Amino acid sequence: MASSPDVPSVGNTPENPGSGSPSEAPEASEAPHATGTAGERRGRVRARRAAVMAVPATLVAAGLAVLTAQGALGVQFAISGMPFTVTATELNGTGFEQFGGLDTMADGSPNAGDTGGQVLVVTSAIKNATLDHLCQSVDLGGTNLLITAGGGADKVQASDLTTDSTELSGNAAFDNIEIGNDASTLTKAGVKGPIGVFSQQADTVHIAKLRQTNYATTAGVFKLPGLKLRFSDSGC
């Protein structure tokens, strides 16, 4: 248009010989094997600690899955790291939201450069949108993959549209705009951003002469009348 907390040490643990716990005292018959028993006990304790430290990461992953299922987060995927240009003579939408985010490339991506494989983006979400004369192009190095649609009487239509952009320009107008919301409280487009992140939302959005540099786009429905895909010497 995302450390595991330190596990507190507990005084009365099996690995603490000063705990005074009678249940951990070795039997007299076990004395010849005391060293081996202590080693096995330390191994079990380390395993328990590793299991405890893995719990927060598991909970986070489960939480993200639930939030995605509930529509609280946009679809997350590894981006290619290749930016693409999107233009339209006019965009009209109902249910508009915008907030900051971070996109991540696949591990080992040749496009990572010195970014660490991450790109800071602005996520724009629109519940329902129409676009006139849509153009999308990506520079493949010496040639461009060019897609056009909606150049006739029928406009491009999209629902639950999100774009992750590093640049956006045009002549914009909003109805009932709210600026400075916490991104986790947004309600207009059905998408919620991270808590504590600056955001804005509006009932409607109109942008003439739209131009974006994007790294990702998602939509629930995307209708492209008059679609044409081709290679071109120039982009949008």
Side-chain angles (χ1 to χ4, degrees), residues 17-18 26 41 60 97 138 153 165 179 185 210 223:
R41 187 160 59 246
V60 169
E97 300 173 357
V138 56
S165 313
I179 301 173
T185 67
L210 171 69
K223 297 182 179 179

Side-chain angles (χ1 to χ4, degrees), residues 10 21 37 41 45 56 62 91 99-100 124 129-130 138 142 157 173 190 231 236:
V10 181
S21 173
T37 302
R41 187 160 59 246
V45 170
L91 177 149
F99 53 89
S124 300
T130 60
V138 56
Q157 299 181 43
F231 292 103
C236 297

Side-chain angles (χ1 to χ4, degrees), residues 92-149:
N92 287 285
T94 58
F96 172 80
E97 300 173 357
Q98 198 170 65
F99 53 89
L102 195 65
D103 283 351
T104 303
M105 302 175 203
D107 290 342
S109 172
N111 301 318
D114 59 358
T115 67
Q118 294 183 319
V119 180
L120 184 64
V121 296
V122 175
T123 296
S124 300
I126 303 176
K127 189 62 179 176
N128 294 287
T130 60
L131 301 97
D132 290 340
H133 292 83
L134 175 69
C135 179
Q136 176 179 300
S137 63
V138 56
D139 186 349
L140 301 178
T143 189
N144 292 270
L145 179 61
L146 187 69
I147 297 174
T148 57

Side-chain angles (χ1 to χ4, degrees), residues 5-228:
D6 293 333
V7 179
S9 59
V10 181
N12 296 324
T13 55
E15 74 272 22
N16 189 338
S19 63
S21 173
S23 62
E24 296 297 329
E27 297 293 335
S29 60
E30 297 174 345
H33 307 286
T35 301
T37 302
E40 292 173 3
R41 187 160 59 246
R42 284 194 296 271
R44 289 195 298 270
V45 170
R46 284 194 294 269
R48 284 197 297 271
R49 281 179 171 170
V52 169
M53 294 176 71
V55 168
T58 304
L59 291 177
V60 169
L64 287 174
V66 171
L67 289 172
T68 300
Q70 294 176 343
L73 293 175
V75 177
Q76 303 296 306
F77 55 86
I79 62 171
S80 70
M82 297 178 66
F84 55 96
T85 299
V86 173
T87 65
T89 57
E90 187 175 65
L91 177 149
N92 287 285
T94 58
F96 172 80
E97 300 173 357
Q98 198 170 65
F99 53 89
L102 195 65
D103 283 351
T104 303
M105 302 175 203
D107 290 342
S109 172
N111 301 318
D114 59 358
T115 67
Q118 294 183 319
V119 180
L120 184 64
V121 296
V122 175
T123 296
S124 300
I126 303 176
K127 189 62 179 176
N128 294 287
T130 60
L131 301 97
D132 290 340
H133 292 83
L134 175 69
C135 179
Q136 176 179 300
S137 63
V138 56
D139 186 349
L140 301 178
T143 189
N144 292 270
L145 179 61
L146 187 69
I147 297 174
T148 57
D154 296 328
K155 301 178 182 179
V156 171
Q157 299 181 43
S159 63
D160 298 319
L161 175 68
T162 67
T163 59
D164 289 358
S165 313
T166 53
E167 293 184 27
L168 187 156
S169 63
N171 300 318
F174 305 91
D175 287 336
N176 297 321
I177 191 168
E178 302 170 1
I179 301 173
N181 309 59
D182 187 293
S184 68
T185 67
L186 297 175
T187 59
K188 302 293 185 179
V191 177
K192 296 184 185 297
I195 190 170
V197 172
F198 180 93
S199 69
Q200 59 184 4
Q201 64 177 359
D203 288 344
T204 67
V205 57
H206 170 82
I207 304 178
K209 299 180 180 178
L210 171 69
R211 187 175 189 87
Q212 294 177 299
T213 300
N214 293 345
Y215 277 87
T217 297
T218 66
V221 175
F222 211 8
K223 297 182 179 179
L224 300 164
L227 172 66
K228 292 182 180 180

